[in-house]
Amino acid sequence: MSIVVKKRKRATTFDESGNKTRKKGALVIQRKINRRLTLLESLPYELLTRIFLLSKNDSLATVSPVLWNRLGIKEKIPSYLFIDFTLCMNPKSVILAIQRSLPRRYFTLQLLNYIDELVAAGYVQKSQREGLLNGKVIHAGHKGHIPRRILFQPNARQFIEDLKTRNFSFKTSTLTNGFLIGLKMKDSNRLSHVGHLVFQEVLNKEENDVETVFQPAFEQCIIKDSVDLLDIVYGFWFNLAQMRWTKFRIDGFLAQSLEYAVSRKATNSVHYLIGKGAIPQLATLLKFQ
């Protein structure tokens, strides 16, 4: 593969006094394939897609620009190819195939519904331990895990509820990491979206999970010294803490967070936490001076 560099023609314009001016032409970089196609790249589409399915590797499309054009552009791929790719993950179990495919970006709620319809119509064979409940494929003995990518889907709540009917649930570590990723996006709307989902999931978990999920988020906001982000995280945490913790434990958590903010010299966070009722110890105040 070679790189071809082309220069655009200079555009002639006129300034306020009527004099001619020229803008420098921008460089346009194009890729040109000047090699023979490999045997894999030159295969008929039917064979190529079959190899793609049997490989169970969705990165195959990134091996070369030719394969990317034939396999990797989502708009060109028919929906049945995604379904076949999913079912190839575990030909003996639909639910286990879904579990392996959930972390992949192509897997959507719509695709999941398509698989349900195919199973219900008899086009896809389920295992003996699998059945249909309200038109959804379930596995009696399988407890699946929901990946964090689902938290960031536009229809995340509906997607999560659908998976829960199939005995899928979130790990506490997944919620923690998902919330931290939401913080790194620097988008308050996305963070609020993820925060509401995390709030609902932690609400049904054990008491200690409140601290496990939210303490890393507090620390991340303090490192950034962002009051805006800290205020969003504080709101979700405080609503849960009031329902699950004693006042003594709430005060202890705030004091611990305040001490961490002082150690990081996060001035904005220190003033915010004190304003929320964090009681500083004398040793902590002396460090802040």
Side-chain angles (χ1 to χ4, degrees):
M1 178 183 296
S2 63
I3 302 297
V4 179
V5 179
K6 294 184 178 181
K7 183 177 288 187
R8 293 177 181 172
K9 294 182 179 180
R10 292 184 176 181
T12 302
T13 58
F14 296 89
D15 58 17
E16 294 179 357
S17 60
N19 297 326
K20 289 184 178 181
T21 59
R22 285 184 176 181
K23 293 182 179 179
K24 293 183 178 180
L27 292 180
V28 180
I29 299 177
Q30 298 178 343
R31 296 190 174 210
K32 181 180 179 180
I33 299 176
N34 56 3
R35 60 171 174 79
R36 296 182 62 183
L37 297 180
T38 64
L39 178 60
L40 181 63
E41 292 170 337
S42 59
L43 287 176
Y45 181 74
E46 292 76 13
L47 288 177
L48 185 59
T49 53
R50 186 61 183 167
I51 292 172
F52 176 64
L53 294 174
L54 293 176
S55 72
K56 301 177 184 178
N57 179 13
D58 53 356
S59 296
L60 179 62
T62 64
V63 171
S64 75
V66 175
L67 292 179
W68 174 252
N69 185 61
R70 300 187 70 187
L71 292 174
I73 301 178
K74 189 173 182 179
E75 290 75 12
K76 292 185 177 181
I77 300 178
S79 59
Y80 72 82
L81 186 58
F82 289 124
I83 294 173
D84 289 346
F85 186 81
T86 298
L87 297 176
C88 279
M89 291 295 172
N90 195 315
K92 295 182 180 180
S93 171
V94 176
I95 285 293
L96 293 181
I98 291 171
Q99 175 70 87
R100 289 194 59 184
S101 302
L102 268 176
R104 301 170 187 266
R105 287 180 293 177
Y106 77 86
F107 197 91
T108 62
L109 178 59
Q110 185 181 22
L111 188 66
L112 182 58
N113 293 332
Y114 283 158
I115 294 174
D116 288 333
E117 292 172 4
L118 291 173
V119 173
Y123 294 111
V124 173
Q125 189 69 31
K126 60 184 185 298
S127 70
Q128 293 180 351
R129 300 189 63 186
E130 292 175 335
L132 287 171
L133 178 64
N134 297 326
K136 302 181 186 300
V137 183
I138 60 169
H139 189 295
H142 179 70
K143 293 184 178 179
H145 298 295
I146 305 175
R148 67 189 180 197
R149 65 171 286 267
I150 304 300
L151 291 169
F152 301 95
Q153 300 301 305
N155 56 351
R157 174 48 58 194
Q158 185 181 357
F159 206 163
I160 292 169
E161 292 302 323
D162 187 286
L163 291 171
K164 282 184 175 181
T165 63
R166 308 169 198 261
N167 294 327
F168 283 76
S169 61
F170 279 105
K171 292 181 179 179
T172 301
S173 59
T174 301
L175 297 174
T176 303
N177 293 331
F179 209 10
L180 289 175
I181 291 174
L183 285 170
K184 292 179 181 179
M185 289 181 174
K186 299 179 180 179
D187 185 337
S188 58
N189 291 329
R190 293 291 295 277
L191 179 58
S192 296
H193 170 74
V194 174
H196 281 291
L197 296 172
V198 171
F199 177 90
Q200 292 296 328
E201 296 303 318
V202 178
L203 192 61
N204 300 319
K205 290 186 174 293
E206 297 179 0
E207 180 180 330
N208 290 333
D209 289 332
V210 177
E211 184 169 359
T212 302
V213 170
F214 286 94
Q215 184 174 356
F218 267 85
E219 292 176 355
Q220 187 65 35
C221 292
I222 290 170
I223 290 172
K224 295 176 179 290
D225 199 18
S226 171
V227 172
D228 292 335
L229 294 178
L230 186 56
D231 189 53
I232 295 174
V233 174
Y234 176 88
F236 289 121
W237 166 81
F238 187 68
N239 287 334
L240 276 170
Q242 278 189 314
M243 292 185 283
R244 309 291 292 277
W245 289 359
T246 63
K247 187 178 184 305
F248 177 78
R249 186 170 181 181
I250 291 175
D251 291 341
F253 182 89
L254 287 175
Q256 181 181 354
S257 299
L258 178 60
E259 186 173 351
Y260 183 75
V262 169
S263 68
R264 299 289 305 189
K265 300 187 185 303
T267 306
N268 296 328
S269 300
V270 168
H271 290 304
Y272 177 86
L273 291 169
I274 291 176
K276 290 296 182 180
I279 303 174
Q281 299 180 357
L282 180 59
T284 303
L285 288 176
L286 291 176
K287 292 178 184 178
F288 190 59
Q289 291 181 351

